[in-house]
Every structure is written in structure tokens, then in C-alpha cells.
Amino acid sequence: MVRHFLKDDDVTPVEQAAILNLALQMKQAPYAHRPFDGPKTVALIFDKTSTRTRVSFAVGVADLGGVPLIIDSATSQMGGKESVADTAKVLGRQVAQIVWRTYAHSGLEEMAANSGVPVINSLSDDYHPCQILADLLTIKEHKGDLAGLKIAYVGDASNNMANSYLLGCATAGMHISVAGPANYLPAHGVVAHAEAIAAKTGGSVSVYGEPTAAIMDADVVVTDTWISMGQESEKEQRMQDFAGYTVDANLMKRAKSNAIFMHCLPAYRGYEVSAEVIDGPQSVIWDEAENRLHAQKALMSWLSQQV
């Protein structure tokens, strides 16, 4: 059976750990693994604008011996003249894997159901699992074993990043706390699913309506933009709603003294995070950004072995 990676719990805790360990190996020996030698082609489809995702996947495919085929959906037939299912059947006969940065998560599910090759979610409205793999890799590098660590996410706790932190960190056996204003909390179904995973891994899940309690004694503090793509018209309202959620030096003091700060980028200094924090000594955002490359290479290599 073809394996896909559409959301964070599509891999087991053991598999997640194996992918992260492989990523550490690949970071030390970037060209030692060549699953796409041939060269094989990997389709990289972009419905949304991208910098880190586009660069890290394109470089990663090349590092693994393959050819990245970048498809801009605006200039392709997919979703317009041709259905996702038909596109998947065409691509599945010609490429080794499909990576898609898109909007509705249902499209990825349709792609996976029809492709015949592994499909990777490089971002959807509901989940961002490749970013979480990179984040977990970064935490592992700076903190060692993931199990038992506390990670606090504050800000828009109803978005794809919060959903993936809940599932991915629970899978890693971490204690994940998220905080957001009343109208920006995660869906009950996502929280319940994360709690069920945490019950098996020794982790825990906590949801707060204010940031201070969430960050208390955290080993890792993370946030994300308050205004994601497509939400620009909501900027004024969101700025009011997220008052008090800026991760600044005072808020960081609630975490452990050796806590690290992460942000998936792009970041807006003075809004979700202060310049003092994101550019300060606790910030590991550039390690985090680089680790997209290594984590995704490990994921693609691992998936190629599951077919």
C-alpha cells in the first residue's frame, strides 16, 4: 500500500522518530542517500505563494538524485479544466512523488486516493506537517529527546500550525499547550484526537484562553503570524483580537530560562513577536528554516522505501 503524509499522525511515533533520526544523518551527509537516482522526477505543485517550501523541496529533491518539476497551478489544468483525481492519475504514472501546497485539505485526500505514488502535504488550510517535522528536528538538536518536553504555542490557535503542533507534538510524546483568544481556539475534534495520541505516548494536551499559563515553564515557545494568506481583509480586527499575545521579553520570562523560540516565518516583528525575542539569543529560527530541507529529504526518502 502506498503511504502518504497528509497530516502529522499519518506516521506512528516510531516512524516519526525514525524520520527525524534519518534527517539528522542527512544533515551530516547531504548526498549519501539517493532514492531518486535515475533521475526520477518529483512534482512540486504550488497553489499558494512560497519561499521556504519551494526552495527546500526543490533543493531536497535534487540532493536526493532527482529532478524537481515545479508546477504552478495557475498555469496548469488542475482544478479548472481537469479534476484533481484525473491529474493524480496522470502524474502518478510519470513521477515518483507528489508534493502539494494548497488550500482545502480535501484536495490532498483526493490526490492521495488516486495518485498511486506518495503524496506529501506541504501546506493546506488545515495542517502543515512538514513544518512540524522541521520544528521537531530543531528541538531535538537543541534539547535532545523530545518526549517529556513542554512546547507552548500562542496566537492563532485555530489555524493549520496549531493543528499540526497538537498532533505532531503529541505523537512525539511532548506536553503541548496552545493559547489563543476565544474565537481562535482549535477545533474540539483536533484537540480530542491529539489527546488520544498523547494518552498513548505519555504526552499531554492543554488549551488556554490566555498566553501566560500556556508558556509557564515551557522548554520551547512558538508562534505564527496572526494574519495568514487570504486573511488580509481581517487585519484590523485581528490586531485587536490578539492584543496581549505578542511574544515579547516579558512573556518569554514565563518560560524556562533556557527555552528556545521558534517561528515558521514569515514573521512580522512588533505583532506576533517582538524584535528583541526573534532576533535574540533564544531564537533558533534560522536553524528551523534550514531544517525544512533536512526533514523533508528524510520524509521523501522514507516514503520512497514504503512503496
Side-chain angles (χ1 to χ4, degrees):
M1 181 179 69
V2 176
R3 295 288 298 273
H4 306 286
F5 190 62
L6 307 186
K7 56 190 182 73
D8 306 81
D9 64 324
D10 280 345
V11 294
T12 67
V14 171
E15 291 170 339
Q16 183 194 70
I19 292 168
L20 294 175
N21 287 332
L22 180 57
L24 288 173
Q25 296 173 27
M26 288 183 162
K27 191 168 184 175
Q28 296 302 314
Y31 312 110
H33 296 78
R34 308 281 288 182
F36 297 143
D37 260 346
K40 298 177 182 177
T41 300
V42 174
L44 310 178
I45 307 172
F46 293 92
D47 293 344
K48 292 187 174 184
T49 57
S50 169
T51 299
R52 279 155 297 281
T53 298
R54 188 181 298 250
V55 171
S56 58
F57 267 110
V59 172
V61 171
D63 283 357
L64 297 175
V67 174
L69 173 62
I70 297 176
I71 302 172
D72 183 345
S73 62
T75 56
S76 73
Q77 308 281 22
M78 190 178 72
K81 295 181 179 179
E82 189 166 48
S83 68
V84 171
D86 286 356
T87 301
K89 291 171 184 176
V90 170
L91 291 177
R93 291 180 174 226
Q94 300 182 56
V95 303
Q97 294 184 13
I98 300 169
V99 179
W100 192 9
R101 180 180 173 93
T102 189
Y103 294 90
H105 192 75
S106 58
L108 281 155
E109 294 174 335
E110 184 179 356
M111 180 76 78
N114 291 277
S115 72
V117 299
V119 174
I120 295 172
N121 174 10
S122 58
L123 179 141
S124 71
D125 287 345
D126 293 340
Y127 303 100
H128 198 356
C130 289
Q131 180 65 58
I132 300 310
L133 282 181
D135 288 4
L136 292 176
L137 178 60
T138 306
I139 298 167
K140 189 176 180 68
E141 286 182 320
H142 286 269
K143 295 292 183 180
D145 291 340
L146 298 174
L149 294 176
K150 178 180 177 179
I151 180 170
Y153 171 89
V154 300
D156 186 351
S158 64
N159 69 7
N160 52 4
M161 286 301 302
N163 290 344
S164 277
Y165 276 122
L166 285 164
L167 298 184
C169 293
T171 298
M174 300 176 73
H175 302 293
I176 168 70
S177 63
V178 300
N183 293 330
Y184 302 91
L185 293 175
H188 293 299
V190 175
V191 174
H193 189 30
E195 289 174 335
I197 295 171
K200 297 177 181 178
T201 62
S204 66
V205 175
S206 302
V207 179
Y208 297 90
E210 57 86 26
T212 304
I215 287 181
M216 189 69 66
D217 294 325
D219 298 284
V220 183
V221 177
V222 294
T223 189
D224 187 21
T225 178
W226 296 339
I227 306 156
S228 297
M229 284 179 283
Q231 298 173 339
E232 291 80 7
S233 63
E234 305 171 25
K235 180 177 180 179
E236 185 175 341
Q237 182 63 53
R238 283 175 171 263
M239 299 303 292
Q240 297 176 25
D241 293 343
F242 287 106
Y245 277 84
T246 300
V247 179
D248 56 18
N250 287 331
L251 202 54
M252 281 296 293
K253 288 178 182 177
R254 302 287 183 172
K256 290 181 179 178
S257 59
N258 64 345
I260 58 174
F261 172 79
M262 299 196 306
H263 190 306
C264 65
L265 303 177
Y268 301 92
R269 291 161 175 80
Y271 293 92
E272 73 270 13
V273 60
S274 69
E276 182 181 12
V277 169
I278 196 170
D279 299 321
Q282 291 175 279
S283 176
V284 295
I285 61 168
W286 307 123
D287 293 342
E288 180 187 8
E290 177 191 340
N291 281 338
R292 285 289 299 274
L293 171 64
H294 310 299
Q296 290 162 184
K297 284 173 62 177
L299 173 65
M300 289 187 287
S301 183
W302 184 83
L303 283 171
S304 71
Q305 298 167 13
Q306 309 305 309
V307 178

